[in-house]
Amino acid sequence: MRELAGRLAALDPDAGEAVRVIAYFDRLTAERAGLEALVRGAAVLAGSPARLADPVHGVRIRVEPDGRRVDGPARTSVPPGADWPGVSVSPGGPRVLWLEQSGVPGPVGAMVLERAATAVRAALDRTRGRAAAVPGPPAPDAASVEVLLDADAPPRARELAARRLGLGPLTRALARADGTADVADATHERAAHEGAVREGAGREGGVREGADREGAPYGAASEGTPRTGIGPAVPPLDLPHSYAQARIALRFTAEGTAADPGHRWVRAEELGGLSVLAAVGPRTAPVPDVLALRRAHAAAPWALLTLHAVASHASLRTAAAALNVHHSTLQERLAHAERLLGWNVREPAGRLRLQLALALDRLHRSPAST
């Protein structure tokens, strides 16, 4: 994209700058940037103050061209100028993004407005649907969730967002594999998980790998609901940190199938030292143990599920019960899997090696969270 922008700039400066604008907002969208970061990008690129107004959720963000957020009541209460260029963020809705400049914007300014509005719309859409997923106060307020999880938002704005969402003194941030983010009172989050456990346990089908320590069958636990990373319980103003941890935890979740065994819900505080592995991603070269794990799965489709059960349970007997197979059957499978891997997973060192290989393999298949 940079090379294309450079070539276009040599032929047509406006065209080259427009391509840079597209690449800039595409990157912010891919990084799941918050509302303030998107408005800031519009202001800096356009060279004029930018303002986002969402009267439905009470969100007003105004950023100067130098990147400073200046949106006190004295600023945001001033009505937009009649000749300010603006774009509706929600077609037919009240949300509008403006550039505080007079007259029709040039090609670059128009592109900034269009791409920024698209990115803001995507940021708001990420957090819709929270009421259907988490019990508690019915407040499907996507904009407030976005502000609350935005580390760049002023503390006062996040305090107001927390108040609108009716949050208690301790809250968890949730990141989901379907791209949505959420916040929930810590007790409500526990209730949501237990409800999903009960629902999944009552379904037929799926992979039978027994129950985890919270009573959820790994394969069926949260079937039909997105994989979820759960941040630590923190005061509302610390939720950006909780959300960052939730996004790391999300990368350790799995589908709970024979090809991707593991938990669909993972809490960040239970990862411990494993969290330092989160720097590993799809572009990181896999270590030999991960390659061995993949070869084992290719040679024996049951291998991953069997190895995960062995790595996750205290004994081979409990692993066999979790897989719903006879103990002798598990012994035979495990011996074959060890030959494919090239090491003994029943010894403490080999078991740790297996656990790390399983975690790394999952991270290699999961996009980086930052």
Side-chain angles (χ1 to χ4, degrees):
M1 185 66 79
R2 289 195 189 98
E3 183 180 353
L4 175 61
R7 291 180 179 180
L8 284 174
L11 301 173
D12 183 341
D14 284 344
E17 193 61 31
V19 171
R20 289 191 180 93
V21 168
I22 293 171
Y24 180 83
F25 283 107
D26 283 351
R27 179 176 62 81
L28 288 183
T29 300
E31 293 174 353
R32 301 167 64 84
L35 294 176
E36 182 178 340
L38 297 173
V39 178
R40 178 178 294 110
V44 172
L45 292 175
S48 66
R51 181 190 298 193
L52 172 66
D54 180 3
V56 173
H57 299 100
V59 174
R60 286 175 170 76
I61 300 174
R62 182 184 179 278
V63 179
E64 294 281 355
D66 61 3
R68 291 180 301 115
R69 179 168 177 169
V70 183
D71 59 358
R75 296 277 190 173
T76 56
S77 62
V78 176
D83 58 348
W84 287 2
V87 175
S88 176
V89 175
S90 300
R95 303 186 182 101
V96 178
L97 178 68
W98 288 282
L99 295 179
E100 296 185 8
Q101 56 182 242
S102 299
V104 178
V108 175
M111 181 61 71
V112 167
L113 268 177
E114 178 187 338
R115 301 302 293 186
T118 300
V120 168
R121 188 179 304 121
L124 292 171
D125 288 345
R126 281 202 306 266
T127 52
R128 289 184 183 143
R130 69 180 296 276
V134 179
D141 188 341
S144 292
V145 171
E146 188 75 23
V147 169
L148 191 57
L149 298 181
D150 187 351
D152 294 326
R156 178 59 179 165
R158 287 191 276 132
E159 286 176 0
L160 293 174
R163 194 175 304 164
R164 282 192 296 270
L165 293 168
L167 297 175
L170 287 181
T171 317
R172 293 183 186 273
L174 283 68
R176 297 196 176 90
D178 62 2
T180 61
D182 208 346
V183 293
D185 183 277
T187 56
H188 293 147
E189 176 271 320
R190 172 70 64 172
H193 182 196
E194 291 174 350
V197 166
R198 287 192 295 271
E199 183 182 0
R203 286 195 177 98
E204 295 181 358
V207 179
R208 169 65 179 166
E209 197 197 284
D212 68 9
R213 63 180 179 276
E214 297 200 24
Y218 290 136
S222 301
E223 186 179 345
T225 63
R227 303 193 331 260
T228 303
I230 305 168
V234 295
L237 288 185
D238 293 334
L239 279 170
H241 169 72
S242 181
Y243 182 55
Q245 295 299 305
R247 291 175 64 187
I248 290 175
L250 177 62
R251 300 189 61 225
F252 287 86
T253 64
E255 288 296 333
T257 63
D260 187 20
H263 301 275
R264 294 180 67 88
W265 290 64
V266 171
R267 290 181 175 82
E269 61 262 49
E270 295 180 355
L271 288 174
L274 286 175
S275 62
V276 302
L277 300 179
V280 172
R283 296 183 181 181
T284 309
V287 298
D289 284 359
V290 171
L291 296 176
L293 199 63
R294 293 175 181 177
R295 287 194 298 269
H297 175 61
W302 46 260
L304 271 185
L305 195 62
T306 298
L307 291 169
H308 173 75
V310 170
S312 304
H313 290 82
S315 69
L316 293 184
R317 290 197 177 277
T318 56
L323 290 167
N324 200 25
V325 299
H326 194 273
H327 181 256
S328 61
T329 301
L330 175 60
Q331 292 275 14
E332 293 172 3
R333 287 187 181 181
L334 190 55
H336 183 44
E338 287 175 331
R339 287 194 296 272
L340 294 172
L341 286 178
W343 75 84
N344 185 343
V345 302
R346 284 172 267 202
E347 296 177 348
R351 178 185 171 94
L352 175 59
R353 191 174 168 184
L354 172 62
Q355 291 166 335
L356 287 173
L358 288 165
L360 288 170
D361 184 44
R362 193 165 297 131
L363 292 170
H364 280 303
R365 292 182 275 112
S366 172
S369 61
T370 57

